[in-house]
Amino acid sequence: MSNLIDSGWAAWLPFELIEALDARSGRSADRRAFRERLERGPSEADQERWERFRLVCPSRIDLPADARGLTSADAEALLDQLGLLDAEPEPVELVLTLDNEDVRELERIRSSRDLGAIAETPAGLPSLDARFGGGKVGRNDPCPCGSGKKYKRCHGS
């Protein structure tokens, strides 16, 4: 499983293929869970993940349209084509192509996050330079940060 995470496939791989990879570990409980998943068929969440995987799956791999009818041999063949059965799996290389509308939407989202420089403090807010609590803190007073420690043990050093 660590190879799967190291290669970057963990976030994209459908649950059917993750369980197929676990079933290869040789534990009978994993093999049984994988067989049961294949017999049960994909849930709605499984279908959504399969669709996401189809977006990032390399074009050299002949991926079925959905997980219905997937056999253990098919799952193992897909894992082999992805290179995940090797000792060192190949890393995920994700390239997205965006059309004009997608680019504009992405720029709109990015620009809404950019706050820019704030010119002046809004009215009614105290200055960041102001000291609260009035005056200097003594060494043995509680620290104004709220930690509950003495000032000399917290921020006074």
Side-chain angles (χ1 to χ4, degrees), residues 3 8-10 12 18 20 27 29 39-40 42 46 49 62 64 71 83-84 99 104 106 110 112 119 123 126 137 153:
N3 283 344
W9 279 113
W12 299 101
I18 291 174
R27 294 184 29 209
E39 290 169 3
R40 185 175 59 240
D46 295 338
R49 189 157 172 135
D62 186 25
T71 65
L84 293 174
D99 61 8
R104 275 190 249 127
L106 185 60
R110 283 183 180 159
S112 68
V137 179
R153 299 267 183 215

Side-chain angles (χ1 to χ4, degrees), residues 114-133:
D114 184 24
L115 300 176
I118 299 175
E120 61 185 57
T121 306
L125 289 180
S127 167
L128 294 176
D129 298 328
R131 294 197 113 158
F132 297 102

Side-chain angles (χ1 to χ4, degrees), residues 32-83:
R32 183 175 43 254
F34 176 58
R35 277 195 315 270
E36 289 171 358
R37 175 179 279 283
L38 292 180
E39 290 169 3
R40 185 175 59 240
S43 68
E44 190 174 317
D46 295 338
Q47 282 297 107
E48 287 177 18
R49 189 157 172 135
W50 191 272
E51 287 301 315
R52 274 187 289 161
F53 178 63
R54 288 188 66 200
L55 293 173
V56 298
C57 184
S59 58
R60 64 182 162 73
I61 296 175
D62 186 25
L63 187 68
D66 61 12
R68 290 184 189 93
L70 188 72
T71 65
S72 59
D74 295 338
E76 192 158 327
L78 287 171
L79 291 171
D80 188 37
Q81 289 174 16
L82 288 169

Side-chain angles (χ1 to χ4, degrees), residues 97-114:
T97 54
L98 302 173
D99 61 8
N100 246 355
E101 289 180 23
D102 292 336
V103 171
R104 275 190 249 127
E105 178 69 15
L106 185 60
E107 289 302 321
R108 186 189 64 76
I109 291 170
R110 283 183 180 159
S111 67
S112 68
R113 283 194 219 155
D114 184 24

